[in-house]
Amino acid sequence: MTTKPLDRLMFAQGGVCFFCNMPLPKADASVEHLVPSSRAGSNSDDNCVACCKAVNALFGSMSLKEKIRVVLNQNGTFVCPNGNGKIQPPLVAPPKAVPIPPKVDNYSVVLADLKKRGASRPRKVETLKNTIRAIVKNAKSSITAPQLEDLIKHLQANGKIKIADTKVSYSL
């Protein structure tokens, strides 16, 4: 069972007029050839659109170039000759909001993890830095080298760690 060209076009266009983008009742629909049959345009779906009978009559046997000029001359407010009003913007789903992960307080995350470690806390500065990088990464955050240095200074300023040469001691 073959589908009629108008039915195929209406389905492909979501039941709206190709030109004014307004709902198109089948009783008011017709097939418009973008390149008119009188100018050797084919009957293929690539050359045909469903539109209001009024728009089809308006375009008549205009060339594709002339049709585009009529639409462009409307300056974004294409008024359908059948009175459907202004052109509606195409129905496009709004872009999905990309969830922004909550900002991780690296200081709190690191402090909590170091407290959990008990006696297995890093004892050397370089090991502490690597441990902090891993803690931050596991918290789905990131840390730059300057931020890492600032975090260690913050831990020192709050009396949580003491650094002597390359050794680290804790007061958690």
Side-chain angles (χ1 to χ4, degrees):
M1 178 185 201
T2 59
T3 310
K4 293 181 181 178
L6 181 59
D7 292 331
R8 281 194 313 272
L9 295 169
M10 291 280 291
F11 177 78
Q13 292 171 209
V16 297
C17 175
F18 182 82
F19 296 100
C20 70
N21 211 32
M22 296 297 287
L24 182 59
K26 188 168 179 184
D28 191 35
S30 67
V31 175
E32 168 67 18
H33 292 78
L34 297 175
V35 176
S37 302
S38 63
R39 296 180 184 233
S42 74
N43 288 324
S44 73
D45 287 355
D46 289 338
N47 186 49
C48 296
V49 297
C51 70
C52 309
K53 289 179 181 175
V55 172
N56 195 337
L58 170 74
F59 287 148
S61 62
M62 289 182 189
S63 69
L64 179 59
K65 182 178 178 180
E66 293 167 316
K67 292 173 187 177
I68 291 171
R69 178 55 45 210
V70 168
V71 172
L72 292 175
N73 283 341
Q74 302 297 313
N75 295 321
T77 55
F78 184 85
V79 178
C80 184
N82 74 1
N84 268 347
K86 295 183 176 182
I87 192 168
Q88 299 294 320
L91 299 174
V92 177
K96 290 184 179 180
V98 177
I100 299 171
K103 186 161 173 86
V104 175
D105 177 10
N106 288 339
Y107 178 82
S108 298
V109 170
V110 168
L111 188 58
D113 188 273
L114 290 173
K115 285 180 181 179
K116 277 194 314 189
R117 290 175 180 264
S120 63
R121 295 179 191 126
R123 299 289 175 202
K124 293 189 176 183
V125 173
E126 202 54 43
T127 308
L128 175 63
K129 288 180 180 181
N130 290 332
T131 301
I132 291 173
R133 286 187 192 102
I135 293 168
V136 168
K137 185 176 180 183
N138 286 339
K140 308 250 188 277
S141 187
S142 61
I143 192 165
T144 64
Q147 290 171 331
L148 177 61
E149 294 299 326
D150 288 344
L151 193 142
I152 290 173
K153 286 178 186 171
H154 194 58
L155 287 167
Q156 285 178 295
N158 290 332
K160 303 298 181 187
I161 65 171
K162 290 182 183 161
I163 296 177
D165 293 325
T166 61
K167 305 274 185 192
V168 181
S169 59
Y170 297 86
S171 300
L172 303 175

